[in-house]
Amino acid sequence: MIAKEAEKGSRTVGLLYYLWGPGKANEHTNPHMVAAWDDRIIERHDPARSPDATLPELGRLLDAPMEWLESRRPTKHVYHVPVSLAKTDRLLSDAEWNMVACEILDAVGIAPKGDEMKQCRWVAMRHADNHMHIVATLATAEGRVPDLRGDWTKMQERARELEKRLGLRQLASGDKTAKQWPKTAELEKAKRHGRAEVPRVTLQHQVREAAAGAADEADFFKRLARAGLRVNKRTAPDGAVTGYSVALPGDRTAGGRAVWYSGSRLAPDLSLPRVRERWGNQTAVQGGPKPTTRAEAWRQAAHHINEAGRMLGHGGDAEGAGAVAALGDLLTTYAVQAPSYVRSEIRAAAAAFERAGRAPAARRASSQARGHLQAAAQQLTVGAALAAGGGEIAAVLALVGAVALAVIAAVEWHQAKRFHIQADAARAAGTHLRQAQEVTRGAASAHKGTRPRRQGDASKPTARQAEIRYECVIRSVLPERADDITGDEAWGALATALGAAEEAGYDPATVLREVAGQRELTTADSPAQVLTWRLQGRMRRDAVGPKRPTAAKKAAPTPTTPPRSDLGQVSEAQRAAQRAQENRPRGPRR
């Protein structure tokens, strides 16, 4: 159940005409009253029930207590709250909506139960199956204005209680980490001007990209200017910059003035103090050799992300909050640099993860996990200027897989801290990353010369088909842990990693048996996650070491140096053959 933040106005009758009217697109059906401050009002003054009832008369009844006020009359005395159901909720009856309205108004103090003198006049009406509107006049029977401090928080708490009582979907209460959504006036203005999205949303995207990619404060403001935004810095008397605001060129009020948005009005983590946290007290991590190709840069980025995923949540709360914020910045950076065939899914993942990066807790800008994520973002930026090189698609698959595992680690951290809204946002990002993995596997097949998979084409297995196939491998190699692994949230990532290993020439069952035997799995919270990290690490070590032989090389005569097995190891049989070769009798030298 969603109780939106109340809106205040000054025209009671105007609001009633809209609520009982056809709507802006004839979306209102069967408008009628379901509750009121006095039950007799429903039968006598609801135009849907009484042919003699009129909306102006109902408005005058609602506004009558304004004449009794002992204090100054408020300029906006109309209190309007929409209350709606989640998409999966059952529909409520009028009697149930009546009860919900009474509970909401009791919680905020507009109509406290058992105290008629402190109650305001109000009505609740519905013109759709899944929501209702509450309209109240902010004047009590004893001539006072009600105290509405913390009204929205109180509504959310009562809504959670009502969800349990009515058997509705259990939502998480707001934690003040949400970005500000466009208001109705902004949406209408964007529609009139033919904009695909409102300026607020455009500014949110561009400021976030600038903050995620900037090296310092000066670079941040340069990036905003290069993006074509108007920037206004707020300075203190000593010349220090204390804040900023941005405006989209061409976005003006009716009077011709530019519409400015401060960073905090766009999102809580875009205020200048929060943006500055990205550059202060950074923890340096040791990087690899300087990459010469884009694929090398992406492989190094994947390594850093895997390391960050292992560390995420092992420190304190502040370190974890800083790490998930850095993971959000990394996704934002990657959404700009990702290859075209996977960019839309990475952008969707970054947008979904945005709320997950704002944990409702204090955060530290210095931690090993955050340092690795910042190093990964730097590698992505460096790689954008390099040539493609060989193995680019394999590097993309490794990189997307690493990000998916890091997001799963973020889900687990949020769940442990009971940050349910952030955990749901991270799960939504994981869904898009799994789609990105499937798209990348399709690109790999197309690159090898096979026809790309289309809708309904069985030439390339889907992610679900791959999971079914590798589930058989899991049950043959690890039968006692199979249910835990296939029921794990990271199971999709492990199936993808096994598919990448098989494409690289590994036998899935053999390599899985080896990485599973490195250390025990019984104490692992997420065995699928651990196995994926081990498998990726194994493939990464083989990639930088001696190359594994191709099928043609395996048929060649045994060289002096023993060949590598399919797993990159020298077998006992090969060592024995080498010793026999070295110890055989040799003829005299010529």
Side-chain angles (χ1 to χ4, degrees), residues 273-453:
R274 285 286 184 158
V275 170
R276 282 172 171 162
E277 289 179 359
R278 292 166 165 85
W279 314 305
N281 301 320
Q282 294 187 8
T283 300
V285 298
Q286 185 176 3
K290 185 176 180 180
T292 57
T293 65
R294 192 181 310 153
E296 288 180 9
W298 287 349
R299 281 193 289 268
Q300 290 188 24
H303 166 68
H304 284 297
I305 296 168
N306 278 324
E307 291 300 314
R310 291 188 183 96
M311 298 174 182
L312 203 157
H314 291 173
D317 291 358
E319 288 83 354
V324 295
L327 181 55
D329 284 346
L330 172 78
L331 275 165
T332 300
T333 301
Y334 188 32
V336 178
Q337 309 292 353
S340 58
Y341 55 82
V342 78
R343 189 174 301 154
S344 62
E345 291 294 347
I346 301 299
R347 282 178 175 170
F353 192 84
E354 180 189 311
R355 184 75 179 273
R358 294 193 291 270
R363 68 188 191 189
R364 276 187 57 189
S366 58
S367 69
Q368 284 292 322
R370 188 179 178 97
H372 277 291
L373 290 168
Q374 290 171 333
Q378 291 171 3
Q379 292 292 351
L380 292 176
T381 303
V382 169
L386 298 176
E392 182 176 347
I393 294 180
V396 173
L397 193 59
L399 180 55
V400 175
V403 175
L405 280 175
V407 168
I408 291 172
V411 172
E412 295 171 350
W413 184 81
H414 284 308
Q415 285 179 323
K417 303 303 176 186
R418 299 184 184 276
F419 298 154
H420 301 299
I421 295 176
Q422 285 75 13
D424 288 343
R427 286 193 192 92
T431 300
H432 290 292
L433 290 170
R434 286 191 290 274
Q435 292 293 330
Q437 290 174 315
E438 186 172 357
V439 169
T440 306
R441 286 199 300 269
S445 296
H447 183 70
K448 290 179 180 179
T450 60
R451 61 193 180 100
R453 184 173 62 87

